[in-house]
Amino acid sequence: MELATLITRQNGDVIHAFPCGTLPLDFVGTLRARRNETPTEKLASPADLDAWFVESGLVPRAEASVASDLDAATELREAIYALVWARLHDRRLPARDMAIVNEAAAAAPLTTTLTADGWMRSGTPRQALSHLAREAIEIVGGEQAALLRECGRPECTQVYLDTSRGHRREWCSMATCGSRMKAKAYRERRKAGTAA
């Protein structure tokens, strides 16, 4: 099942998208359009990182991140991407990036608490990054690595797990990239039909 969750904050703004339904891969997507000359950075400030933690559902409230947390987050994001890229292209996992992910995963985990309304996670920004690193390790190092794909829209570089029947999913999200690609194909067919 494809998840495309957008959570609206109190002021109505949404800064992050979650087309994959897989936290570490959606986290990698905070640097959008990686192959473009100027990719779009969605983690431009510590507040953006806090917003990602909350909007993703990782924690209901984020402790205020500082510049060093943001640096650690972007370093972890790029290390996860490098490992995913290696898996996508059947390459050896880069040792430096494995070390970064392993170090982040070794930090204390988020605290899970049972409440009258269910359960919740809480912790520091580094604990939240540890959670993402642990999930990334399970994906890259486990059977799910065979399901890793990159979005088929050339402008998009989002990676996702293809859990569709027959493993034929082409886009990170049908609601965004899939719709754009189908609309583009339709316009090209119409243009070719009128030119004939």
Side-chain angles (χ1 to χ4, degrees):
M1 181 173 79
E2 180 180 326
L3 299 176
T5 305
L6 296 176
I7 299 172
T8 305
R9 296 183 359 220
Q10 285 182 339
N11 63 3
D13 292 340
V14 175
I15 18 186
H16 301 291
F18 304 90
C20 302
T22 307
L23 287 179
L25 300 182
D26 281 326
F27 188 64
V28 163
T30 60
L31 184 64
R32 301 217 181 120
R34 288 173 177 274
R35 286 187 289 274
N36 286 2
E37 189 173 315
T38 308
T40 303
E41 177 61 76
K42 300 305 280 185
L43 296 180
S45 71
D48 293 341
L49 178 61
D50 294 338
W52 192 91
F53 289 148
V54 174
E55 290 177 14
S56 70
L58 188 57
V59 292
R61 287 178 303 285
E63 291 190 19
S65 296
V66 297
S68 60
D69 297 322
L70 181 61
D71 291 343
T74 55
E75 181 181 53
L76 176 63
R77 177 189 69 194
E78 296 310 301
I80 293 171
Y81 180 73
L83 297 174
V84 167
W85 188 93
R87 282 290 188 237
L88 284 169
H89 297 92
D90 294 321
R91 303 280 172 84
R92 180 184 293 271
L93 296 178
R96 179 183 179 279
D97 297 302
M98 280 194 296
I100 290 167
V101 172
N102 286 334
E103 183 179 346
L110 289 168
T111 301
T112 305
T113 308
L114 183 63
T115 69
D117 299 322
W119 65 277
M120 62 177 248
R121 293 187 201 105
S122 61
T124 67
R126 297 304 173 104
Q127 287 174 290
L129 294 175
S130 175
H131 184 93
L132 294 172
R134 291 164 194 249
E135 284 193 17
I137 288 169
E138 290 177 12
I139 291 169
V140 172
E143 293 178 7
Q144 288 183 315
L147 303 177
L148 285 166
R149 305 284 185 273
E150 185 176 62
C151 184
R153 187 169 75 95
E155 297 81 15
C156 183
T157 53
Q158 180 70 55
V159 289
Y160 60 92
L161 293 175
D162 181 4
T163 57
S164 67
R165 185 157 69 185
H167 305 295
R168 294 183 181 177
R169 182 173 158 189
E170 297 178 53
W171 305 291
C172 62
S173 170
M174 188 58 205
T176 54
C177 290
S179 293
R180 290 176 187 170
M181 291 299 287
K182 288 189 172 205
K184 180 181 176 186
Y186 174 75
R187 286 190 305 273
E188 288 173 357
R189 284 193 306 273
R190 283 191 55 123
K191 185 177 177 181
T194 56

